[in-house]
Amino acid sequence: MKKLFAIVALVASMFVAGNVQAQSMIYAGYAPESFIQTVGSSTSTTNYQGFCFGFTQNFGLSKGIGVAAGADLRMNKRSGQSSLWILQGSVSETQVLVDVPILFNYGININRDVTITPFIGPMASLALVGQTKGTDPIFGENTSNWYGDNSTWSRFNLYGVLGVNLQFSQFNLFGGYRLGLIDLNSNNNITLKTNGLFVGLGFAL
């Protein structure tokens, strides 16, 4: 949590004293995520569907160079079937996160209306909710909290993000990749990291 506040404070301090131009954008995107868990020499991957929406401001530092800071709300979701001997049940998993990206970028003007902007930078992420709901014919419905009192899972993650944005007039199409840099499980015998692609649409205000 302290890391998240430190990153936000750093970006804010960059612009308090400066007279910089800023462009705002609201956006929504498709952001699936893979949870990769390693136990000893065995590795397993769990894939989640993901969606996000948020707001960002791009601050111009010099000609073509900027840094975009903002926040979004993101949800990971997965559902499937579970089995106990010959009995069938269902399982549903949900994670809700707040992301704070800080992305350095360089705008390349193709013409008056079209700009291509590669971007790269860190993204702090804090999980608000994480739970698994299961239903079976014997025990009925049960819920497991990912971040309960005895959990070894961490709510905080830090990503490295890279991608590109295509802006046409006020409309934006963007995509890229995020790589989780932190082991989310404090158990010494287990490593858990995340990554995923993303694509989205934005509108400049």
Side-chain angles (χ1 to χ4, degrees):
M1 192 69 174
K2 291 182 180 179
K3 295 179 181 178
L4 179 62
F5 290 143
I7 292 173
V8 174
L10 175 63
V11 174
S13 66
M14 293 172 62
F15 306 108
V16 168
N19 182 19
V20 295
Q21 294 182 343
Q23 183 181 51
S24 303
M25 182 179 74
I26 55 174
Y27 62 89
Y30 174 60
E33 187 146 60
S34 297
F35 284 55
I36 303 172
Q37 179 170 279
T38 301
V39 182
S41 59
S42 177
T43 299
S44 61
T45 300
T46 305
N47 296 314
Y48 293 79
Q49 298 297 317
F51 304 91
C52 66
F53 64 91
F55 172 85
T56 186
Q57 276 194 307
N58 188 47
F59 299 89
L61 302 180
S62 64
K63 187 174 181 179
I65 300 175
V67 59
D72 68 48
L73 188 68
R74 180 162 56 93
M75 175 181 287
N76 289 321
K77 188 76 175 177
R78 185 181 78 92
S79 60
Q81 298 296 314
S82 63
S83 61
L84 179 64
W85 296 301
I86 61 173
L87 302 176
Q88 294 294 318
S90 63
V91 61
S92 175
E93 294 184 314
T94 303
Q95 185 187 36
V96 179
L97 313 100
V98 173
D99 298 326
V100 181
I102 302 170
L103 304 175
F104 295 90
N105 54 80
Y106 181 71
I108 304 169
N109 295 322
I110 304 302
N111 56 40
R112 186 176 62 181
D113 295 321
V114 178
T115 303
I116 296 176
T117 307
F119 55 82
I120 188 169
M123 182 177 78
S125 184
L126 182 68
L128 304 178
V129 176
Q131 64 179 19
T132 300
K133 287 186 177 181
T135 304
D136 63 69
I138 296 178
F139 301 105
E141 184 175 295
N142 57 85
T143 300
S144 174
N145 182 7
W146 295 7
Y147 308 107
D149 293 337
N150 299 319
S151 174
T152 59
W153 280 42
S154 171
R155 291 179 181 270
F156 179 80
N157 199 358
L158 182 66
Y159 295 86
V161 178
L162 60 86
V164 65
N165 179 74
L166 174 63
Q167 181 175 359
F168 178 76
S169 187
Q170 290 179 278
F171 297 94
N172 294 263
L173 173 64
F174 61 88
Y177 177 77
R178 65 188 182 279
L179 176 66
L181 305 176
I182 294 179
D183 181 2
L184 300 179
N185 197 315
S186 62
N187 192 310
N188 292 331
N189 299 318
I190 301 175
T191 299
L192 178 64
K193 292 189 175 183
T194 62
N195 63 63
L197 299 170
F198 60 89
V199 63
L201 293 172
F203 182 78
L205 302 176

